[in-house]
């Protein structure tokens, strides 16, 4: 994937994740706790692919830091929203998804 295309997709994907994460919810859409963490894992796993494709230098580190920052930023915003809640375990699931994505892409490139 070309770097410029990956950057555009990363921006759109990131904005989509932010938008969905701050939408008001009346009841939890995902009642199963484990499924929620799996979804977090895969959302940030995919985001890591676009990050790695977007950055040129220190792309693995920059990708992890981007995903960590965005996930923490979203959780912090949710803390202040009356219809959402902060969950540190979401940040952990996001980070694990990113680490898995970095590891997989690193292995595929070798």
């Amino acid at each position: 994937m070309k770097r410029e295309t990956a950057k555009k997709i990363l921006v759109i994907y990131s904005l989509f994740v932010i938008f969905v994460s701050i939408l008001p919810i009346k009841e939890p859409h995902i009642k199963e706790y484990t499924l929620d963490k799996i979804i977090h894992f895969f959302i940030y796993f995919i985001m890591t692919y676009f990050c790695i494709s977007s950055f040129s230098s220190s792309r693995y580190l920059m990708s992890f830091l981007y995903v960590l920052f965005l996930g923490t930023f979203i959780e912090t915003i949710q803390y202040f929203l009356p219809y959402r809640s902060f969950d540190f375990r979401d940040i952990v699931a996001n980070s694990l998804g990113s680490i898995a994505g970095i590891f997989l892409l690193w292995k595929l490139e070798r």
Side-chain angles (χ1 to χ4, degrees), residues 3-106:
R3 185 158 294 143
E4 291 305 313
T5 303
K7 285 180 183 180
K8 290 174 185 174
I9 293 172
L10 176 61
V11 168
I12 292 167
Y13 189 82
S14 297
L15 290 172
F16 175 75
V17 170
I18 291 168
F19 176 74
V20 169
S21 298
I22 62 173
L23 281 174
I25 55 173
K26 294 178 184 169
E27 294 181 27
H29 293 292
I30 303 167
K31 303 218 185 261
E32 179 85 26
Y33 173 79
T34 304
L35 180 59
D36 176 56
K37 301 310 169 223
I38 291 170
I39 290 170
H40 276 267
F41 179 92
F42 281 109
I43 286 171
Y44 288 86
F45 178 89
I46 293 166
M47 186 180 295
T48 299
Y49 169 76
F50 295 125
C51 284
I52 289 173
S53 300
S54 297
F55 299 126
S56 57
S57 62
S58 303
R59 58 195 184 128
Y60 296 113
L61 176 61
M62 294 300 294
S63 297
F64 179 73
L65 292 175
Y66 178 87
V67 169
L68 179 64
F69 172 79
L70 186 65
T72 303
F73 174 74
I74 290 171
E75 287 301 315
T76 302
I77 296 284
Q78 288 179 346
Y79 176 80
F80 295 103
L81 298 174
Y83 47 84
R84 290 291 194 150
S85 61
F86 177 91
D87 188 350
F88 181 75
R89 293 166 293 196
D90 287 346
I91 296 171
V92 172
N94 301 344
S95 298
L96 290 175
S98 180
I99 290 168
I102 288 168
F103 181 75
L104 178 65
L105 289 170
W106 179 74

